Amino acid sequence: MIKIMADSTCDLSQDMINQYDIGIAPLTITVDGENYSDRIDIQPDEFYDRMENLKEHPTTAMPSPIEFLNIMEKAVENGHTEILCICMSSGTSGSYQSAVLAKEYFYEEHTESNVRIHVVDSKCMSHGSGWLILKSARLREKGATFDEIVDFNETYKVFVKHFLSVDDLNHLIRSGRLSNASGWIGKVLNIKPIMSMKNGKGAIVSKQRGTKKVLKHYVEEFKKRNYKELTDFMIIGYTSDISIAETLKKKINLESDFMGDIYIMQMGVAVGTHVGLGALSMFFMEKREELLEKIKNM
């Protein structure tokens, strides 16, 4: 039996988490001096309603190794013999290192255990790691082995394409997710920057003026980059305005030939702390010829 687990930045909906029995280690968010567990003690809508009136900028802390260890031990108690943990990029958080420590603690405490545990540094943020988790759950449902699911993650995690537009770069600058130089350029030009992941960290890849141009850019990039053989579903994320996400979904359905599922999911409190109100994201598998050639020659 394969157990899939993650940290709360995967931002999968609670319905998805329940459907596929995904174990979640929550990040801690400090809001005006009070600590909350992501999506447990505080929900996204509640947080976004408060965001503009906060006295201090919220901060986040990775789950402790104990949080991950507890999920692993409970999984074993329930009969699971293989555990796959998919974490947000090690370039933006310590969650991956925390999960690795939990794995080491598990084997120290259970020296005779035959349980197999693999921790993935997804190189992704938010629904990027969520995409890998959901894909892994689907592969498990189809009968894929533990090794096959691990191989998929380690081979194709760098193919997960991220697009994220934000209304206010200050959140990303203050949290260290974006350099001051990149942020300064965005503010001076008065544009809506679009970010992606490069080497496990966020970077501005485009600058568009206004929401309409952002949506147009998203659709054009999806049509150009989509890896049709692997993208059987895509995820659209939002923080405070679901209507923008719904508009993007309609445009993709009308303007592209994509026939797979399109899920709209809200970004959680931990991610929202860094991206702010009005954020819009999109995740799918990108066809990267140079990496495909490398895989073929392995």
Side-chain angles (χ1 to χ4, degrees):
M1 292 176 63
I2 302 171
K3 176 69 175 181
I4 299 173
M5 55 183 289
D7 62 73
S8 63
T9 64
C10 68
D11 287 341
L12 291 176
S13 68
Q14 193 59 49
D15 287 343
M16 288 287 185
I17 291 169
N18 294 341
Q19 179 180 348
Y20 294 107
D21 187 30
I22 298 165
I24 300 293
L27 273 73
T28 299
I29 299 92
T30 301
V31 183
D32 284 345
E34 296 290 331
N35 292 331
Y36 302 89
S37 293
D38 188 17
R39 290 185 182 267
I40 296 175
D41 301 324
I42 188 168
Q43 297 302 316
D45 282 333
E46 175 189 354
F47 174 71
Y48 297 133
D49 286 343
R50 294 173 56 184
M51 200 168 196
E52 290 185 328
N53 298 315
L54 296 178
K55 298 175 183 177
E56 301 175 1
H57 184 72
T59 59
T60 60
M62 65 184 181
S64 70
I66 297 301
E67 295 275 3
F68 287 106
L69 181 61
N70 288 340
I71 297 172
M72 293 173 183
E73 292 189 328
K74 185 176 180 180
V76 173
E77 289 175 7
N78 291 334
H80 294 90
T81 55
E82 296 161 322
I83 300 172
L84 177 65
C85 180
I86 302 175
C87 295
M88 71 184 297
S89 175
S90 62
T92 59
S93 169
S95 290
Y96 169 74
Q97 288 82 1
S98 189
V100 170
L101 282 174
K103 173 183 174 181
E104 293 173 357
Y105 293 160
F106 178 88
Y107 287 126
E108 287 176 5
E109 294 181 8
H110 308 279
T111 55
E112 303 299 320
S113 176
N114 292 320
V115 172
R116 301 175 66 195
I117 302 173
H118 185 86
V119 183
V120 177
D121 177 358
S122 71
K123 304 298 182 183
C124 296
M125 286 284 291
S126 187
H127 295 114
S129 61
W131 197 100
L132 289 171
I133 294 160
L134 182 52
K135 181 65 175 182
S136 297
R138 286 184 163 199
L139 289 171
R140 182 186 62 187
E141 296 297 300
K142 292 179 179 178
T145 67
F146 184 68
D147 287 334
E148 288 170 339
I149 298 174
V150 168
D151 287 345
F152 180 89
N153 278 274
E154 296 296 357
T155 301
Y156 290 105
K157 63 187 182 182
V158 291
F159 287 71
V160 181
K161 187 62 182 175
H162 299 57
F163 282 109
L164 168 70
S165 63
V166 297
D167 282 343
D168 185 356
L169 286 168
N170 286 321
H171 297 285
L172 288 164
I173 296 170
R174 282 195 294 261
S175 67
R177 267 59 179 183
L178 186 66
S179 71
N180 279 307
S182 295
W184 179 81
I185 291 171
K187 288 191 289 186
V188 167
L189 296 177
N190 191 30
I191 48 84
K192 289 175 72 71
I194 296 176
M195 297 179 63
S196 191
M197 295 293 283
K198 290 188 176 182
N199 301 318
K201 294 185 178 181
I204 293 177
V205 294
S206 180
K207 307 175 185 70
Q208 302 293 327
R209 294 184 183 275
T211 301
K212 286 185 178 181
K213 289 189 176 180
V214 167
L215 294 173
K216 180 180 179 182
H217 180 81
Y218 274 27
V219 175
E220 289 177 349
E221 289 296 299
F222 174 72
K223 290 164 65 176
K224 179 171 66 176
R225 298 175 181 272
N226 181 34
Y227 191 170
K228 294 181 179 181
E229 291 80 3
L230 287 182
T231 306
D232 48 344
F233 66 91
M234 61 184 298
I235 300 175
I236 296 172
Y238 71 98
T239 51
S240 55
D241 189 353
I242 192 173
S243 67
I244 302 175
E246 291 171 338
T247 299
L248 176 58
K249 179 177 179 178
K250 290 177 182 177
K251 287 181 69 66
I252 291 171
N253 281 328
L254 288 172
E255 299 175 26
S256 78
D257 60 358
F258 183 64
M259 301 298 290
D261 296 319
I262 302 178
Y263 299 112
I264 294 178
M265 300 185 199
Q266 189 172 31
M267 296 178 223
V269 179
V271 171
T273 294
H274 303 299
V275 303
L277 303 176
L280 176 70
S281 58
M282 178 175 69
F283 304 85
F284 58 94
M285 294 296 271
E286 177 182 24
K287 194 159 192 175
R288 300 178 62 181
E289 297 295 344
E290 75 281 7
L291 292 179
L292 289 171
E293 190 63 32
K294 183 178 179 181
I295 292 169
K296 291 176 184 178
N297 294 329
M298 289 177 64

